[in-house]
Structure formats: C-alpha cells, structure tokens
Amino acid sequence: MATRPLADEIGAIAAQYPERRSATLAALRLAQERRGWLPPEALREVADALDVTPAYCEAIASFYDMFHLAPVGRHLVEVCTNISCALVGAQQVLEAFEEQLGIGPGETSEDGEYTLRTIECAGGCGRAVVVAIDHRYREPVRPEDVPEIVEEFGGN
Ligand code: FES
C-alpha cells in the first residue's frame, strides 16, 4: 500500500483545528516517523503544510526532547537519570548500557543501530529505574537486566 503524502496527512490533522499551526506537534511527529529524525527538508515540508515558517517548526522541535534534529540509531535507548531513578541506580544502569553498546550518552553506534541518551523524569518514578527503548518503557531496570535487554534487540 502506498504511503499517503505527508502534506496530505498533515492537512487532514490541521483541518481539525481552528488554526493550522495548532497541528505543529502532530505534524512534526508524523514527519519524524517517516524519516527517523527531522532534517531541514522535513521542517520545511511541515512548515509548508501548515503555512508557518521552518524557523517556527525548528523552534518547537528544538524545545521538545522527543524530536530529533540529528540522526538517531535504529533503536533509541533512553535512560531516565532524574532524581527517583538516580536514587535507585540510574547511573549504574546507564553504565551497563554504555558497556553493552560501546557508546556513551548522546552517541550513536557506528553501525547506526543504537543511540543512547539520558532523559529527565519519564513519569514512572514508582518503578524506577525507567528505561525507554524505542519509546516503550522497561521498568524497573537493574544493571544486571541490561545484557538481556540488549540481546533482545539483537545487540552485542
Ligand atoms: S525520575 Fe525517573 S521516572 Fe521519574
């Protein structure tokens, strides 16, 4: 089945709002789903579909942590290091991922498979340490769980 043009999808969402620019977050999300990140061309495409400027789209995309203005790996591993997770070993969980994946926070593996990031509170404090892999939560995660989690994703 052919993929519907992005501008058409954005147009359908924008039609639900009194102002087209109210659909910016949804439009950016759609654009990111298509490419995995938001290169300048994607920001331009969203801007054109919403009758706003690319700078407006970039300002919004750069504010929210879940938008990527640089390429990320096929799998995104995000470790919450905020207070509740920090108190029960987030640093050790992060180091276990660093060791397993061979990359540090903010880095992408050479084969493009993994990007490792730290994130602020993921809203799962009661089951810390929270790790999001491809936007799905694992909780609670302990350092000893990490090799099995990486194995599951076909990692090292
Ligand atoms: S501090 Fe980690 S989920 Fe809230």
Side-chain angles (χ1 to χ4, degrees):
M1 193 169 89
T3 308
R4 206 167 151 204
L6 182 62
D8 290 355
E9 282 200 51
I10 293 173
I13 295 170
Q16 298 173 39
Y17 295 92
E19 290 187 40
R20 294 181 70 75
R21 71 180 183 165
S22 299
T24 305
L25 288 177
L28 288 170
R29 183 175 173 190
L30 272 176
Q32 183 166 280
E33 280 174 5
R34 294 266 174 111
R35 298 169 188 253
W37 67 293
L38 292 169
E41 314 85 80
L43 294 173
R44 244 190 326 276
E45 210 175 342
V46 170
D48 288 347
L50 295 177
D51 297 325
V52 296
T53 65
Y56 176 81
C57 291
E58 186 175 357
I60 290 179
S62 64
F63 179 80
Y64 291 100
D65 203 35
M66 72 284 280
F67 291 123
H68 311 300
L69 294 170
V72 293
R74 204 163 67 81
H75 297 296
L76 183 60
V77 179
E78 299 172 303
V79 180
C80 175
T81 53
N82 214 247
I83 188 68
S84 300
C85 292
L87 289 172
V88 293
Q91 185 60 37
Q92 289 75 23
V93 169
L94 179 63
E95 286 168 9
F97 274 108
E98 287 181 42
E99 189 180 318
Q100 283 292 307
L101 300 175
I103 51 176
E107 294 178 351
T108 298
S109 59
E110 275 181 23
D111 61 5
E113 280 295 298
Y114 295 95
T115 294
L116 178 63
R117 309 192 325 157
T118 58
I119 55 172
E120 298 302 323
C121 181
C125 306
R127 292 181 51 83
V129 173
V130 175
V131 174
I133 301 183
D134 298 335
H135 308 292
R136 290 184 185 269
Y137 283 13
R138 298 297 181 98
E139 52 184 13
V141 174
R142 302 287 171 249
E144 57 271 23
D145 301 328
V146 171
E148 193 181 319
I149 291 172
V150 172
E151 177 78 34
E152 208 177 295
F153 283 86
N156 310 321

